[in-house]
Amino acid sequence: MKGKFKNYDFFLLFIVFFLIGWSVLNIYSATVHEYSNLYIKQGLYGLVSVFILLLFPLINYRKVVHFAPFIYVLGVVMLLSVFLFGVTILGAKRWISLGFFTIQPSEFMKYVVILITAYILGVRKEKVDLKTAIIVLLIVSVPFVLTLKQPDLGTALTILIPVVFMLFAGGISHRYIVAGITAVILSSPFIWEHMKDYQKERILAFIDPQADPFKSAYHLIQSKIAIGSGGITGKGFMHGTQSKLFFLPEQHTDFIFATIGEEWGFVFSSIILTIYLIVGLRMLYWSNKIRDDEGKYILIGTASLIVLQAFINIAMTVGMAPVVGITLPFLSYGGSSMVAFSLMVATALSVIRVYREEKLHF
């Protein structure tokens, strides 16, 4: 057992521990004036995540990938059960109540699609062709459409992110990628027609925030004010006026970065941004060393999702992307998001551990 822990990537592990601790601290600041116990709940989610990150990598990731088809079916069943037994919060039915807490199955589907894609691509042991890509996209389209129907456009899009990067890493021809991008562009009028009204309003608010500053663009404008008012070093812990005076909605969930920017300033905000980049680069570093296809795909899928979801979340809080309602990995309030990302990193740590052990025994 001690030998297995020795082969962990402690650099990666401690970076994620830092993010979890930083989350609890800032959730406390963002919510203690409005809610009495959310930081306690976030602390419990963080504790569960720490156990996952410490113990789950002891399981050989190949055993987990072997069961990927069953995990995929279970994930789809959970998504379907949201329509039958789900609870509605703020007009969207995305959660299942389990008594003392709720879970959001779509957050876990991000992990599941990484596993099932690694399973399909890893079996072939050759460059990804069009047929394999179509099979992968058809399988992933099921959770994508079910999540879109909740409705949750942001999470649905993030389900696709790791798959696209894993196909690209699998060597799919560039002409198929160009064809896919062209198809999305050409179908954009059709996509626009079928979007919900609030989704259209968010995109229009991104293009011209001053056109509707007190409704659709209110969130974005308040977020930019909060981050900008933080200056270089911030107003100080628990001293954010935009967040403490309730000008900034959802400051503990999707807009936690605005709270951090206001209270800790540009310097700490830049450090957070850099940390996500380091996490992604660290996993890509290992993916270049590992020869096992399934392990390589897991690292690439996890790295691409964590980095891009973090950058999209931060971009929407500073007005560089439309508000799409996605969490900041490990920092936003919510157990489903934190546990799902912990499972991804824990599986990546298992890939690294197994590689180190097998390298020693070679």
Side-chain angles (χ1 to χ4, degrees):
M1 180 70 78
K2 186 178 178 182
K4 291 182 182 295
F5 280 116
K6 185 180 69 177
N7 289 310
Y8 276 31
D9 183 344
F10 286 102
F11 178 73
L12 187 58
L13 189 64
F14 287 136
I15 285 179
V16 177
F17 283 173
F18 169 78
L19 289 176
I20 292 172
W22 190 249
S23 170
V24 178
L25 184 69
N26 285 283
I27 295 297
Y28 174 79
S29 175
T31 62
V32 70
H33 292 82
E34 189 174 8
Y35 308 100
S36 60
N37 63 351
L38 288 191
Y39 71 95
I40 297 175
K41 285 186 176 180
Q42 189 72 355
L44 292 174
Y45 299 144
L47 198 58
V48 171
S49 296
V50 167
F51 276 110
I52 290 173
L53 288 161
L54 286 175
L55 300 180
F56 195 86
L58 294 173
I59 302 171
N60 190 317
Y61 69 95
R62 294 191 185 102
K63 294 180 181 176
V64 181
V65 175
H66 177 74
F67 288 104
F70 302 100
I71 298 172
Y72 171 81
V73 172
L74 178 63
V76 171
V77 170
M78 288 179 67
L79 277 178
L80 287 170
S81 66
V82 170
F83 295 100
L84 298 174
F85 311 109
V87 294
T88 301
I89 301 175
L90 298 175
K93 187 186 280 189
R94 302 171 184 169
W95 298 268
I96 298 173
S97 176
L98 296 177
F100 292 106
F101 62 94
T102 59
I103 62 169
Q104 188 176 349
S106 56
E107 287 290 340
F108 290 97
M109 280 311 299
K110 299 173 187 175
Y111 175 58
V112 175
V113 296
I114 290 174
L115 289 181
I116 193 69
T117 305
Y119 174 83
I120 295 170
L121 300 186
V123 168
R124 293 187 60 82
K125 307 293 183 187
E126 56 190 40
K127 284 182 67 174
V128 177
D129 56 17
L130 182 60
K131 180 183 175 183
T132 305
I134 290 174
I135 291 172
V136 169
L137 292 174
L138 284 175
I139 289 174
V140 173
S141 67
V142 176
F144 173 78
V145 172
L146 290 176
T147 304
L148 205 59
K149 288 287 184 182
Q150 289 182 353
D152 191 350
L153 175 62
T155 305
L157 291 175
T158 54
I159 285 174
L160 293 181
I161 286 175
V163 178
V164 171
F165 277 84
M166 292 163 82
L167 290 174
F168 183 76
I172 190 171
S173 173
H174 291 178
R175 67 175 184 271
Y176 297 137
I177 296 175
V178 173
I181 295 172
T182 305
V184 171
I185 294 173
L186 291 177
S187 60
S188 55
F190 175 80
I191 296 172
W192 177 263
E193 281 299 316
H194 287 79
M195 291 176 72
K196 302 285 184 184
D197 288 340
Y198 80 90
Q199 293 168 339
K200 294 178 181 177
E201 289 172 0
R202 287 179 174 181
I203 293 176
L204 293 174
F206 162 67
I207 296 171
D208 184 10
Q210 297 306 322
D212 193 11
F214 298 108
K215 291 185 178 178
S216 59
Y218 179 80
H219 225 134
L220 174 60
I221 292 172
Q222 294 303 321
S223 175
K224 291 167 70 175
I225 291 173
I227 294 172
S229 66
I232 300 296
T233 56
K235 296 176 180 174
F237 183 59
M238 302 284 293
H239 289 91
T241 51
Q242 289 298 114
S243 49
K244 300 299 171 293
L245 297 177
F246 307 112
F247 287 109
L248 179 63
E250 304 301 327
Q251 56 185 278
H252 59 296
T253 54
D254 300 344
F255 281 79
I256 188 65
F257 186 76
T259 303
I260 294 172
E262 183 181 26
E263 298 194 347
W264 298 92
F266 174 78
V267 174
F268 263 95
S269 299
S270 300
I271 291 173
I272 293 296
L273 201 63
T274 305
I275 284 174
Y276 284 113
L277 193 58
I278 290 173
V279 169
L281 291 175
R282 185 72 174 177
M283 290 188 186
L284 291 181
Y285 161 77
W286 284 112
S287 74
N288 281 328
K289 297 172 75 70
I290 291 167
R291 293 290 161 250
D292 178 69
D293 287 338
E294 293 173 342
K296 183 190 293 284
Y297 287 125
I298 286 172
L299 286 167
I300 292 171
T302 303
S304 61
L305 178 59
I306 289 177
V307 173
L308 278 180
Q309 180 161 332
F311 277 54
I312 292 171
N313 176 283
I314 292 171
M316 76 182 193
T317 62
V318 298
M320 295 178 66
V323 176
V324 291
I326 59 173
T327 61
L328 187 57
F330 295 106
L331 288 185
S332 292
Y333 174 78
S336 296
S337 175
M338 182 175 282
V339 171
F341 276 108
S342 297
L343 283 170
M344 291 178 214
V345 174
T347 309
L349 287 170
S350 172
V351 175
I352 297 166
R353 179 188 66 78
V354 171
Y355 164 76
R356 282 178 159 174
E357 287 181 1
E358 291 179 348
K359 185 182 177 186
L360 289 173
H361 297 154
F362 181 72

